[in-house]
Amino acid sequence: MPQSRPRPPLRFPTTPGDRGPWPIRTSLLALLLTVAPPSLAQGAIAPPKGHTAAKAPTVSEIRQMGTGHGGTDSPKFSPPPLAPQGKQASDEAVNVRVYEQAAPAVVSIRTQTATGSGTILTPDGLVLTNAHVIDGASGTVTVILADGQQVTADIVGYADRGVDLAVVRIRNGRNLPTVKIAPTESVRVGQRAFVIGNPFGRFQGTFTTGIVSRIDRDRGIIQTDAAINPGNSGGPMLNSQGELIGVNTSIFTSGRDGGNIGIGFAISTDRVQTFLAAVNTGRAAAAPPIAPTLPLPLDGRTLAGRLEDGDRTLASDDSYFDAYTFDAQAGQGITIDLSSSDFDAFLILLDPNGEQIQDDDGGGGTNARLSLTLPSTGRYTLMANSYEPDETGSYQLRAQLSGASPRPSPGPSTPPTRPPAPSGTLLQVQGQLNDQSQVLETDGSLFNEHIFEGQAGQTVTISLTSNDFDTFLILMDANGDGLDANDDFSEGNTNSQIVITLPQTGTYRIVVNAYDRTGRGNYVLTVR
């Protein structure tokens, strides 16, 4: 069995705020380089898996050489020239030129939950970024220009499933600085790469350099060694002419700390141009693709899942994953186990700040286990992943909170409350559709997901009630196949109800949805 290796996340180079996961029916997470919660580098996305500076004299050596004022016996110390010379001067001139040319058009993008980066492409304010940077935003985002001015931008469209791109348009934009897109397939391995972005949501305009380390033309991915960190998601990777050659999207990490190790990824311009053509002709999706993001129970129950063809894949190695989310407090202890007899299990956990923890064989054999004290309060994203690409099969996932005393700290979200369930009740949840909820791709309506365990042949009644919005209820099996749906329980009653005999023993998924995009507010979900 190979040694445990580092793996990258989806989303996501955003910042705590830059979350990671997406909804149901289609695809998810991206974890990535967002900063507020999911992460990337400065400008460029790091990929997957000569000259020696003169040594400066020590203080004692300088003293021995004298200062030039000690007489004929004290040789004068001559400091190195301040102005760079030769190749160094040429390299620095290119760096300065690229930065000064492109930086005015690189922006920071902020939502209620994440921070990322973006690039202004047109004078009227069309901004290119990652889909995961603006995931969960309700129609608008805040854009911080290079001069610090904060403006509102409307979400225009998202790329097709599997391509982490989106565009927003700055309101009343005119005469804005722009970055030109380099010709497709003009990038070569070994050429210089420059990245600009807002790492950790705090250092807007940060500039780093490297080279193009690898190009995967089949998947439209460029790898670079330029330094990138959470908050750089969506920012530009540039060539020596200051042209955009890629959009930073994720990094490959190693070890339990999940830090930057000089391997990042950017989406290449051929994917960008295809997406922009769809935007210009009105064919771009108005909402992000929906991916299976399931709530993860923390009471030690075992969930049965399956990785299969068509599931979302990690950008670094094309391995499949399912995504789960849970809310927890800083200081709580948790143990998560992923086991499978079909594939080599791999776990990736993203905390609310986009930091990554991962494990390969910690559960014994080819099973994975994470056991840790949670560092932050907020929403965590867990990826049930395979070690190798194209591995499929069934798995069992279990998570258990320990008795560690929670340490109060402010967090972006609060888990739904679960009142004591009456006898015969399988699930009872008081929840809310709000800006933290997921968005249905087809109509922009909000939804939350819940799960329960049922037995084959068991007849259950699922009730969804709300005084705040017109409800819509969907029941699916563990694989996301729809079993039943209901809008209004009866004429004039906007609550929903499903009565069904369960076809098999296992996990079932309930989608609590609003009938239209205006619906939001409190609800009660009950399964009896």
Side-chain angles (χ1 to χ4, degrees):
M1 169 55 55
Q3 291 184 343
S4 183
R5 66 168 182 187
R7 303 289 292 284
L10 349 197
R11 284 133 271 141
F12 324 99
T14 27
T15 305
D18 174 74
R19 314 173 325 190
W22 295 299
I24 69 181
R25 299 195 210 183
T26 333
S27 63
L28 159 81
L29 204 54
L31 312 113
L32 43 139
L33 292 183
T34 325
V35 172
S39 83
L40 263 210
Q42 302 174 340
I45 286 179
K49 354 191 163 185
H51 169 75
T52 303
K55 181 179 179 182
T58 65
V59 173
S60 60
E61 288 172 340
I62 292 175
R63 281 180 162 178
Q64 291 173 3
M65 289 188 287
T67 63
H69 301 286
T72 55
D73 293 334
S74 300
K76 182 175 180 179
F77 168 62
S78 299
L82 295 179
Q85 299 177 350
K87 182 180 184 299
Q88 181 184 4
S90 175
D91 289 346
E92 290 184 0
V94 172
N95 292 349
V96 171
R97 175 174 52 78
V98 170
Y99 182 78
E100 292 182 346
Q101 176 179 326
V106 180
V107 302
S108 178
I109 297 176
R110 187 175 65 221
T111 70
Q112 289 184 329
T113 56
T115 302
S117 303
T119 307
I120 303 175
L121 298 182
T122 63
D124 63 352
L126 189 69
V127 178
L128 177 66
T129 187
N130 284 147
H132 78 262
V133 170
I134 62 173
D135 178 46
S138 53
T140 63
V141 298
T142 298
V143 171
I144 300 92
L145 303 179
D147 62 4
Q149 181 183 0
Q150 298 188 19
V151 296
T152 298
D154 297 296
I155 296 175
V156 175
Y158 296 82
D160 292 336
R161 178 181 178 182
V163 181
D164 188 15
L165 294 174
V167 290
V168 302
R169 190 180 297 277
I170 296 172
R171 292 181 180 178
N172 304 314
R174 57 182 179 274
N175 299 322
L176 294 170
T178 63
V179 168
K180 180 181 177 182
I181 299 176
T184 58
E185 300 194 7
S186 63
V187 183
R188 296 292 181 269
V189 172
Q191 75 174 64
R192 296 179 67 184
F194 307 85
V195 298
I196 305 175
N198 185 22
F200 303 103
R202 300 177 57 192
F203 307 104
Q204 184 165 358
T206 297
F207 180 71
T208 59
T209 66
I211 64 168
V212 172
S213 309
R214 175 176 171 269
I215 300 173
D216 187 336
R217 299 198 185 278
D218 291 336
R219 296 163 55 212
I221 294 293
I222 298 173
Q223 179 178 325
T224 183
D225 64 353
I228 34 187
N229 292 285
N232 283 98
S233 284
M237 176 187 289
L238 307 160
N239 62 17
S240 297
Q241 287 69 52
E243 299 171 327
L244 185 143
I245 60 174
V247 178
N248 307 329
T249 188
S250 60
I251 57 174
F252 189 92
T253 65
S254 104
R256 294 178 64 85
D257 295 333
N260 172 39
I261 60 171
I263 297 179
F265 303 97
I267 300 169
S268 62
T269 55
D270 59 332
R271 300 296 197 273
V272 171
Q273 293 288 26
T274 299
F275 169 51
L276 293 178
V279 171
N280 293 333
T281 57
R283 294 182 289 108
I290 299 176
T293 310
L294 304 175
L296 179 66
L298 304 178
D299 56 4
R301 284 180 290 163
T302 298
L303 298 183
R306 183 175 180 81
L307 296 182
E308 54 192 359
D309 293 339
D311 283 350
R312 189 168 178 82
T313 60
L314 293 181
S316 60
D317 64 359
D318 277 339
S319 59
Y320 296 120
F321 70 87
D322 286 339
Y324 297 82
T325 59
F326 65 89
D327 294 286
Q329 290 186 310
Q332 288 183 302
I334 192 171
T335 298
I336 305 171
D337 288 287
L338 176 65
S339 60
S340 174
S341 58
D342 297 330
F343 60 85
D344 188 350
F346 200 96
L347 279 172
I348 300 172
L349 179 65
L350 296 176
D351 72 12
N353 299 317
E355 296 299 322
Q356 178 189 154
I357 303 166
Q358 56 195 23
D359 180 73
D360 179 16
D361 297 331
T366 60
N367 299 321
R369 165 176 282 194
L370 290 174
S371 186
L372 69 152
T373 299
L374 297 174
S376 307
T377 293
R379 178 155 295 177
Y380 287 77
T381 297
L382 178 74
M383 285 176 276
N385 182 221
S386 63
Y387 181 82
E388 297 289 349
D390 301 322
E391 286 187 304
T392 60
S394 299
Y395 64 82
Q396 293 76 47
L397 178 65
R398 178 181 179 274
Q400 175 74 61
L401 282 177
S402 68
S405 300
R407 185 172 69 240
S409 75
S413 59
T414 304
T417 59
R418 295 182 182 243
S423 177
T425 299
L426 301 177
L427 177 70
Q428 189 169 39
V429 176
Q430 295 175 357
Q432 186 179 76
L433 293 182
N434 53 33
D435 290 341
Q436 304 304 315
S437 299
Q438 303 175 77
V439 181
L440 195 63
E441 178 182 5
T442 52
D443 62 3
S445 61
L446 301 178
F447 73 91
N448 291 336
E449 294 182 61
H450 304 277
I451 62 173
F452 72 94
E453 301 294 321
Q455 303 292 321
Q458 184 179 23
T459 299
V460 298
T461 299
I462 306 172
S463 302
L464 174 62
T465 62
S466 175
N467 294 324
D468 298 330
F469 62 91
D470 187 350
T471 65
F472 196 91
L473 186 61
I474 303 169
L475 176 65
M476 299 181 294
D477 64 19
N479 296 320
D481 295 326
L483 299 177
D484 203 352
N486 180 252
D487 176 17
D488 296 335
F489 175 64
S490 62
E491 185 175 355
N493 186 341
T494 59
N495 295 320
S496 305
Q497 186 177 90
I498 293 174
V499 179
I500 187 172
T501 299
L502 301 178
Q504 59 194 28
T505 297
T507 302
Y508 289 85
R509 299 162 53 187
I510 300 173
V511 177
V512 173
N513 185 216
Y515 181 77
D516 59 33
R517 65 189 309 158
T518 65
R520 59 187 59 218
N522 296 317
Y523 63 84
V524 176
L525 173 68
T526 306
V527 182
R528 291 187 176 89

